[in-house]
Amino acid sequence: MVHNSLPLQWRKYPERYYLRGNYCENCKTSFFPQRQICPNCRRKGKLVEKETPYTGKIVSWTEVSVAPFGFENETPYFLAIIELENKVKILSQIVDSKKEKIKTGAKVKKLFRKISDIDPEGAIAYGYKFKVVD
Amino acid sequence: MAGIVGYGVQVPLRRITVEEIARVWKKDGKKISAGIGVKEKAVAAFDEDACTLSVEAARKALETAKIPGQKLGAIFVGSESHPYAVKPTAAIVGDAIQASPELMAADLQFACKAGTAGVQICLGLVKSGMIEYGLAIGTDTAQGRPNDALEFTAGSGAGALIIGGKENEVIAEIQDTYSFTTDTPDFWRRQHAEFPQHAGRFTGEPAYFKHITGAVKGLLAKIKMSPNDFDYAVFHQPNGKFPKQIAKSFGIEEKKIIQGLITPMIGNTYSGSSMIGLCSVLDIAKPGEKILVASYGSGAGSDAFSITVTKNIENKRAKVPVLEMIKEKEYADYAEYAKHRKKIKGL
Amino acid sequence: MRSVSIIGCGLTKFGEHWEMSFRELIAEAGVKAIESANIEGKTIQAIYGGCMASGRLIGQEHIGALIADQFGLNPIPATRVEAACASGGVALRSGILAVLSGAYDIVAVGGVEKMTEVSTEHASFALGGAGDQETELFHGATFPSLYALMARRHMEEFGTTEEQMAACAVKNHKNACNNPNAQFQRAITIEDVMNSGYVASPLKLLDCSPITDGAATLILCETEKAKKLCENPVEIIASTQASDSLALTGRKSLTEMAATKIAAKEAFEKAKLQAKDIDFAEVHDCFTIAEILATEDIGFFKKGEGGKAVEKGKTSLDGEIPINPSGGLKAKGHPVGATGVAQAIETFLQLRGEAEKRQVKDAKIGLTHNVGGSGATAVVHIYKAIGGKR
């Protein structure tokens, strides 16, 4: 299962643990996840590693009632597209938030949570989830 | 000089009341709640564990300390609910707060006092000049067997303290520390066992009370102080009753322990317990005030600390005080609690 | 300038084929297509097969060779084409390009998916592979949830309602009642849709296309040759394709699919036509909101007007632009790899006047629109009825 691919998870720690993305110094655009080539500047682009802000606002959201393999016991759960303060968009679960507060425009902040822990004897995948802040 | 330069606490959002747990087992919740001095306990969600709580507490500690993770020379995570039996929580925390790779790190276990054991190790490393800053975390998502007395109190939470040695940074100087340790079979969890076992009333007198008394007396003799020289006292708090009793035995007024007595609202957070209590006191203590801290870990031992708050505390308090933070909560019924804590067969 | 026409087609019934395997589905559609084209199998020179997730769904890869084998057509070259739910559409385009290049005169284009060999959770996970594994699936995103995120935005920006989305499902079910190959040949009401449970709010179960087994095959032929071989071939007058970011978060807008807009614009340019010249269209309605987005992005309606249009009956079989006369993915069924090919088959039948009770009146020009993932691939084809040997 790709979920439990250890080399993949391990490579993703900076992205999933502390939102490491990158930034093109040529066109002043932030990217998350990191890109190998700046899609705006291509060869002229100058990408440097950069952390993404931990706060942003909800652009759209959904309450998932039917889950894929590995998430069956988590339903219902909320997913949102979030625009972070550097304009980068990120898809994440929203937890620890009352349903009525989860709406477009709501401010959110990043948390550190377990994302996938389906094999009791396997490795745990940690990463980001967000919560609504007043 | 060495002491605390930053502190942080993380408590999960969910709570279950003692009365709700008692309802399921047809017990008198009101009486039990009054008897143990605990109203409700914090419940970690299915996607939280001792590690995620540690990371959040550590981030807040870095925030108050106003230092980046890279500056940490050591991380010690004390817990009896480390997510892995083998694979260090401290390394995960180190990566998550960007303290790696130049980092000394280890997990500690000493029942409920593994957090303060980390504080002592950091203190030694800082004082010896081996590291500039060390992070000690006490964290647990405590396990209690359904229908066991522990189920009413076994809570979840983490407290993190950053120890440093610069005079202009230390917000609370750790003047001295003293430990009292013996082999005492009051509470344990065997390898591979899901829930801990305990020896009932034996956990009181020969265990909790004897060891904390031993540590505090030893410390006070060493530093030539008396219990009444302290403005605040924080004792390990397996329930709301024991810390009051031990305070009374030292002649310490109850009002001195209330600020640091968090268990009535969030349950016993085990390794987090005395650490979170201390953090709550740091939320309000004034420069010059003195804090007595004594943790307790079954098995058994107690670490006592004499702490003096410095003037640096004024601009280094937590953004949200502990007592404020725990007001944000959401109640779970027993079924939801059982789901989140994976107490339902098949989860 | 060479041109390509369809001269034959074969389709299995769409649905849950408990008694048929992946191979049997392929063989049935292939045999029907070759018979329908009235050609010798050995005149077929190459095969392009669309299939999305056979690895996850049946543990089988190397589908190109498998199709050729099942058709009894070894040793001709056979190539699998994968572009998620647009695999069929992209396979068709690959076949077209192969004929246009002059490499071949006659090719077969297949599409197949066998989705019921695994549990719904596993099928859902397999389909999720059409999105971004690392930033969407990993976090628990499903396809309904990705489209739900678009739907919510469309509702908030344009006032589209859940009832309007429901109207797409009602219309498509109605059309499918007249399609003997459709998975759901039963009418439903707005109330039925509104009362079905949420899968990912605001999308409900009846806003979603089903899990389907099925296969489809087309026989393509160079047009001049087609006119000699076939009485009434259907010419493909435009074949375009565009791509966009795999993840939804990479899109400029959540309320339009840029890939659809670009592919449609280029297709109209190529065909020297406009949206108003199209008599009917088969669009990618994996979810009801997807049909609304498609009708806007292709240009049948202004942005934000798609919901109102379906509600007013503008896209009904007798409306100003009939959309999904076959029943669409929603009611005909959505065996992902076969869908793009099946859309072309419906268009072929409509333009030949062979669509029976669901026949669009005076259909001369048809359009198909096939999407991969949440909009990372879009394929558009435009078709015209032409006379052949008579």
Side-chain angles (χ1 to χ4, degrees):
Chain A
M1 223 11 109
V2 184
H3 265 88
N4 284 344
S5 164
L6 297 177
L8 187 152
Q9 277 189 30
W10 172 75
R11 276 195 304 275
K12 290 262 164 198
Y13 287 164
E15 174 188 321
R16 290 176 179 169
Y17 285 10
Y18 45 89
L19 300 187
R20 168 156 297 167
N22 57 5
Y23 175 77
C24 177
E25 290 181 335
N26 194 39
C27 66
K28 317 263 184 262
T29 311
S30 297
F31 300 105
F32 181 88
Q34 288 190 10
R35 284 188 164 275
Q36 316 317 313
I37 296 163
C38 172
N40 304 324
C41 309
R42 305 200 45 82
R43 202 173 300 189
K44 287 183 192 126
K46 205 174 161 213
L47 290 168
V48 291
E49 284 193 337
K50 196 173 177 185
E51 263 93 87
T52 304
Y54 285 5
T55 51
K57 61 179 202 297
I58 293 178
V59 172
S60 190
W61 61 274
T62 177
E63 183 179 10
V64 180
S65 309
V66 180
F69 174 74
F71 291 85
E72 303 92 331
N73 295 331
E74 300 184 17
T75 56
Y77 55 91
F78 293 90
L79 281 173
I81 288 183
I82 293 157
E83 188 181 285
L84 297 169
E85 275 162 12
N86 60 353
K87 300 290 167 201
V88 155
K89 288 200 193 74
I90 182 168
L91 181 137
S92 169
Q93 282 196 35
I94 303 286
V95 294
D96 281 6
S97 309
K98 291 207 165 63
K99 186 175 173 175
E100 58 271 20
K101 290 202 171 172
I102 300 174
K103 51 186 162 197
T104 303
K107 283 189 182 157
V108 292
K109 72 163 186 182
K110 187 191 94 80
L111 304 174
F112 184 81
R113 289 294 179 101
K114 286 200 278 188
I115 308 293
S116 174
D117 181 14
I118 45 182
D119 173 4
E121 295 196 2
I124 302 165
Y126 294 98
Y128 52 82
K129 290 187 183 178
F130 282 71
K131 74 170 276 184
V132 174
V133 287
D134 291 320
Chain B
M1 178 184 211
I4 299 161
V5 299
Y7 68 100
V9 167
Q10 178 70 14
V11 176
L13 180 73
R14 278 179 194 76
R15 303 280 185 281
I16 186 165
T17 62
V18 166
E19 281 193 49
E20 170 63 10
I21 296 169
R23 179 185 67 84
V24 173
W25 306 111
K26 307 277 185 239
K27 288 177 178 165
D28 188 334
K30 280 201 174 66
K31 278 189 186 156
I32 293 173
S33 183
I36 59 177
V38 176
K39 188 175 164 274
E40 55 202 40
K41 65 173 192 174
V43 179
F46 68 88
D47 62 349
E48 290 179 295
D49 60 21
C51 177
T52 67
L53 297 174
S54 293
V55 170
E56 299 292 354
R59 282 203 178 125
K60 289 175 190 169
L62 289 170
E63 229 174 78
T64 57
K66 300 187 169 104
I67 60 165
Q70 296 100 281
K71 289 245 179 179
L72 295 173
I75 298 180
F76 297 99
V77 181
S79 179
E80 55 178 84
S81 50
H82 286 291
Y84 293 91
V86 178
K87 187 178 185 299
T89 309
I92 305 172
V93 174
D95 245 26
I97 61 172
Q98 291 170 267
S100 16
E102 198 185 325
L103 181 71
M104 196 186 295
D107 286 358
L108 304 176
Q109 185 279 116
F110 196 136
C112 295
K113 80 159 193 76
T116 55
V119 173
Q120 291 176 324
I121 297 172
C122 286
L123 195 66
L125 291 168
V126 167
K127 281 191 159 175
S128 71
M130 281 177 74
I131 60 169
E132 195 179 355
Y133 301 101
L135 168 64
I137 301 172
T139 178
D140 261 303
T141 53
Q143 312 98 328
R145 187 186 297 278
N147 202 20
D148 184 280
L150 288 179
E151 195 185 20
F152 293 109
T153 54
S156 302
L161 296 175
I162 297 175
I163 308 301
K166 290 187 189 147
E167 203 174 332
N168 60 342
E169 292 182 351
V170 170
I171 60 173
E173 184 187 357
I174 300 177
Q175 216 176 321
D176 212 334
T177 176
Y178 182 98
S179 294
F180 185 95
T181 308
T182 73
D183 181 357
T184 308
D186 59 328
F187 172 105
W188 62 90
R189 181 166 65 82
R190 292 289 300 269
Q191 184 84 280
H192 307 305
E194 199 173 339
F195 300 106
Q197 309 256 5
H198 59 91
R201 292 188 55 77
F202 183 71
T203 60
E205 196 45 52
Y208 179 88
F209 292 97
K210 176 183 161 189
H211 290 80
I212 292 187
T213 304
V216 170
K217 279 191 173 160
L219 176 74
L220 295 180
K222 195 176 164 196
I223 60 175
K224 300 189 173 54
M225 283 174 75
S226 86
N228 279 315
D229 294 336
F230 293 91
D231 302 285
Y232 295 97
V234 178
F235 298 107
H236 173 56
Q237 34 206 273
N239 51 49
K241 202 171 61 174
F242 279 17
K244 288 184 181 173
Q245 287 175 3
I246 193 103
K248 202 173 166 190
S249 76
F250 288 119
I252 296 172
E253 294 170 86
E254 201 170 299
K255 67 174 190 197
K256 290 186 176 175
I257 67 163
I258 292 303
Q259 178 67 24
L261 187 55
I262 311 298
T263 288
M265 289 87 83
I266 62 170
N268 179 9
T269 53
Y270 287 48
S271 304
S273 177
S274 48
M275 307 272 284
I276 294 173
L278 170 59
C279 290
S280 175
V281 170
L282 292 175
D283 282 334
I284 63 152
K286 294 186 196 69
E289 288 189 321
K290 292 188 179 344
I291 310 166
L292 173 67
V293 178
S295 63
Y296 172 72
S298 290
S302 172
D303 303 327
F305 298 85
S306 167
I307 296 170
T308 308
V309 177
T310 76
K311 62 179 185 347
N312 298 325
I313 194 140
E314 301 290 13
N315 57 6
K316 277 190 172 179
R317 301 218 199 247
K319 260 197 231 159
V320 186
V322 174
L323 291 174
E324 198 59 40
M325 178 201 321
I326 61 176
K327 280 186 194 156
E328 192 192 348
K329 58 187 171 184
E330 200 179 292
Y331 285 99
D333 60 17
Y334 195 91
E336 206 190 333
Y337 156 77
K339 186 178 92 175
H340 278 289
R341 300 307 304 140
K342 297 200 164 110
K343 286 172 193 285
I344 300 174
K345 206 174 166 184
L347 281 183
Chain C
M1 175 92 182
R2 282 167 75 90
S3 144
V4 182
S5 291
I6 305 172
I7 59 168
C9 71
L11 188 68
T12 66
K13 187 179 178 322
F14 279 8
E16 294 172 319
H17 283 288
W18 302 117
E19 292 179 1
M20 278 176 90
S21 68
F22 185 89
R23 295 164 196 231
E24 287 167 303
L25 290 167
I26 290 174
E28 183 186 318
V31 167
K32 281 181 175 170
I34 294 168
E35 279 174 6
S36 136
N38 198 20
I39 54 170
E40 283 292 316
K42 62 175 189 264
T43 62
I44 295 170
Q45 297 164 290
I47 296 172
Y48 294 87
C51 177
M52 176 191 165
S54 58
R56 283 264 169 76
L57 293 170
I58 62 165
Q60 182 69 62
E61 310 290 12
H62 209 165
I63 301 306
L66 179 64
I67 296 176
D69 189 6
Q70 292 302 307
F71 282 7
L73 290 180
N74 291 145
I76 63 167
T79 308
R80 172 182 175 177
V81 178
E82 189 274 313
C85 318
S87 298
V90 178
L92 170 58
R93 190 169 139 78
S94 304
I96 292 167
L97 294 176
V99 174
L100 288 179
S101 75
Y104 308 116
D105 287 334
I106 301 180
V107 303
V109 171
V112 60
E113 213 74 59
K114 174 75 187 169
M115 302 175 71
T116 57
E117 308 280 40
V118 295
S119 71
T120 306
E121 288 78 12
H122 278 89
S124 174
F125 184 76
L127 292 173
D132 190 314
Q133 174 68 240
E134 295 175 4
T135 63
E136 291 178 336
L137 251 70
F138 174 73
H139 295 278
T142 57
F143 258 83
S145 66
L146 295 177
Y147 276 88
L149 290 164
M150 293 189 255
R152 168 105 44 216
R153 211 57 221 157
H154 204 273
M155 290 168 74
E156 291 182 355
E157 279 182 35
F158 304 113
T160 301
T161 64
E162 292 187 35
E163 285 81 1
Q164 288 169 351
M165 292 192 265
C168 290
V170 171
K171 166 187 66 78
N172 290 347
H173 269 253
K174 188 178 172 196
N175 291 348
C177 289
N178 293 317
N179 184 351
N181 285 321
Q183 182 164 2
F184 298 131
Q185 297 171 44
R186 63 180 165 88
I188 58 169
T189 63
I190 298 277
E191 216 176 22
D192 290 336
V193 184
M194 295 303 288
N195 288 337
S196 63
Y198 282 111
V199 170
S201 67
L203 298 180
K204 295 168 286 292
L205 181 66
L206 290 179
D207 283 303
C208 307
S209 56
I211 282 175
T212 310
D213 301 326
T217 306
L218 284 169
I219 308 295
L220 302 184
C221 182
E222 186 279 319
T223 298
E224 290 312 312
K225 193 167 188 170
K227 285 177 181 167
K228 289 174 201 143
L229 289 173
C230 176
E231 277 180 21
N232 43 4
V234 166
E235 188 183 357
I236 301 169
I237 56 176
S239 171
T240 57
Q241 181 182 344
S243 64
D244 203 343
S245 70
L246 195 60
L248 203 49
T249 48
R251 311 282 166 73
K252 287 212 167 59
S253 163
L254 289 180
T255 53
E256 66 172 44
M257 284 189 193
T260 296
K261 284 182 82 169
I262 292 160
K265 183 170 171 278
E266 288 179 359
F268 288 132
E269 280 168 12
K270 218 160 260 177
K272 297 188 177 64
L273 294 170
Q274 292 175 303
K276 66 175 169 51
D277 301 320
I278 304 296
D279 295 317
F280 69 94
E282 285 280 310
V283 307
H284 198 89
D285 61 325
C286 49
F287 301 93
T288 51
I289 183 65
E291 179 171 309
I292 291 170
L293 291 174
T295 57
E296 295 169 351
D297 294 335
I298 293 166
F300 297 134
F301 306 109
K302 269 192 222 145
K303 185 45 67 186
E305 300 291 316
K308 290 173 203 108
V310 61
E311 198 172 39
K312 285 181 187 152
K314 290 184 182 178
T315 57
S316 300
L317 201 56
D318 55 359
E320 63 187 59
I321 170 75
I323 299 291
N324 289 328
S326 69
L329 285 55
K330 170 69 201 84
K332 182 182 61 184
H334 184 27
V336 282
T339 284
V341 180
Q343 290 177 322
I345 291 177
E346 176 68 11
T347 309
F348 177 67
L349 297 175
Q350 289 282 356
L351 292 176
R352 302 215 311 180
E354 293 169 5
E356 299 172 338
K357 283 188 199 160
R358 62 183 193 283
Q359 180 64 47
V360 174
K361 262 187 216 145
D362 303 322
K364 302 280 191 309
I365 309 272
L367 178 148
T368 60
H369 161 253
N370 190 197
V371 170
S374 59
T377 295
V379 199
V380 171
H381 287 96
I382 301 178
Y383 312 73
K384 191 170 97 179
I386 53 170
K389 62 172 185 185
R390 282 186 202 263

